[in-house]
Structure formats: structure tokens, C-alpha cells
């Protein structure tokens, strides 16, 4: 099994940056596709970004493309989400997730989830 713990959320002004981290435990981390999702109050959980096990393929939601960067360091068992040019609409609880090799944007593709970290962007 893989256990995921997010950190790095907080309060930031519009236009600012945050870097989220997801620390993973378990020997299956290096073979897992990893992703970030987010959920704002009153809204469905939304796909944000995905990275394959070897880091060679990344995929982003249109809403964050060009502003967010997902990366991973398998030696450190850690996934990152660098968020730049933050907007108020980015405000949400952000979740780290791990899934199979073909996982992409569907929540059901991911078997492992972190507890979430809150990101709040003020105007």
C-alpha cells in the first residue's frame, strides 16, 4: 500500500506562488502514476495534473496549464505541485493521489489518496 501526506498549503495573494508536496510511503510509489486533484466548496472534485511513474509524461487541466507544474522525485518518494500566478478560483482543498499506469483524469482511476491541504488565494 501507499500512504500519501500533503503539505505546503496556505494563504496567498492573487499572483503569488505556492509549492505543494506529497510525501509517499510504500514500495509501490516508483511504479505509480501520481496526480493532484482539488475540490472547492459546493463543487465536484476536479482533476489538476498528472505525472507518470518515470516522470516522462505530464498532463494538466486547461484551467492550470502554463501556471502549475507537477514533478516527482522517486528517490525521495515525493510528488510536487508548483503553483504560480495563483488566482482566487484556485482556492480549494488539494489532494494527492496515486493510481495505475493508465490513470489520467478520473478520480476512480486512483486508489490512494492523501488527506488534502487547503489553498486559499485572496483577491
Amino acid at each position: 500500500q501507499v500512504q500519501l501526506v500533503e503539505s505546503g498549503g496556505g494563504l496567498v495573494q492573487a499572483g503569488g506562488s505556492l509549492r505543494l508536496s506529497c510525501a509517499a510511503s510504500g514500495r509501490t510509489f516508483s511504479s505509480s502514476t501520481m496526480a493532484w486533484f482539488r475540490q472547492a466548496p459546493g463543487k465536484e472534485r476536479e482533476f489538476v495534473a498528472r505525472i507518470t511513474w518515470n516522470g516522462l509524461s505530464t498532463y494538466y487541466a486547461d484551467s492550470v496549464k502554463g501556471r502549475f507544474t507537477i514533478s516527482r522525485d522517486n528517490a525521495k518518494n515525493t510528488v510536487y505541485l508548483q503553483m504560480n500566478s495563483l488566482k482566487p478560483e484556485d482556492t480549494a482543498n488539494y489532494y494527492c493521489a496515486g493510481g495505475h499506469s493508465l490513470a489520467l483524469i478520473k478520480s476512480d482511476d486512483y486508489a490512494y489518496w492523501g488527506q488534502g491541504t487547503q489553498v486559499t488565494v485572496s483577491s
Side-chain angles (χ1 to χ4, degrees):
Q1 291 186 329
V2 176
Q3 292 180 284
L4 307 174
V5 180
E6 302 97 332
S7 62
L11 305 176
V12 65
Q13 291 184 329
S17 299
L18 284 174
R19 189 192 193 198
L20 305 184
S21 297
C22 174
S25 61
R27 295 182 179 181
T28 60
F29 173 79
S30 62
S31 61
S32 297
T33 291
M34 303 297 295
W36 289 92
F37 288 77
R38 66 188 183 186
Q39 187 168 25
K43 295 186 178 181
E44 298 287 327
R45 184 165 295 185
E46 176 189 22
F47 169 80
V48 176
R50 179 272 279 160
I51 187 168
T52 52
W53 71 272
N54 57 9
L56 295 179
S57 177
T58 58
Y59 185 77
Y60 299 91
D62 288 342
S63 59
V64 307
K65 192 174 298 181
R67 300 187 298 119
F68 291 10
T69 302
I70 187 171
S71 62
R72 69 190 297 166
D73 187 338
N74 289 347
K76 297 181 178 180
N77 285 353
T78 303
V79 179
Y80 305 96
L81 185 68
Q82 178 66 47
M83 304 184 294
N84 298 326
S85 302
L86 283 162
K87 305 174 181 179
E89 49 263 46
D90 294 319
T91 295
N93 201 11
Y94 283 71
Y95 297 88
C96 178
H100 57 75
S101 61
L102 298 180
L104 190 53
I105 67 172
K106 294 182 178 179
S107 295
D108 288 348
D109 289 341
Y110 297 88
Y112 306 105
W113 293 84
Q115 83 288 352
T117 184
Q118 180 67 36
V119 172
T120 302
V121 184
S122 62
S123 300

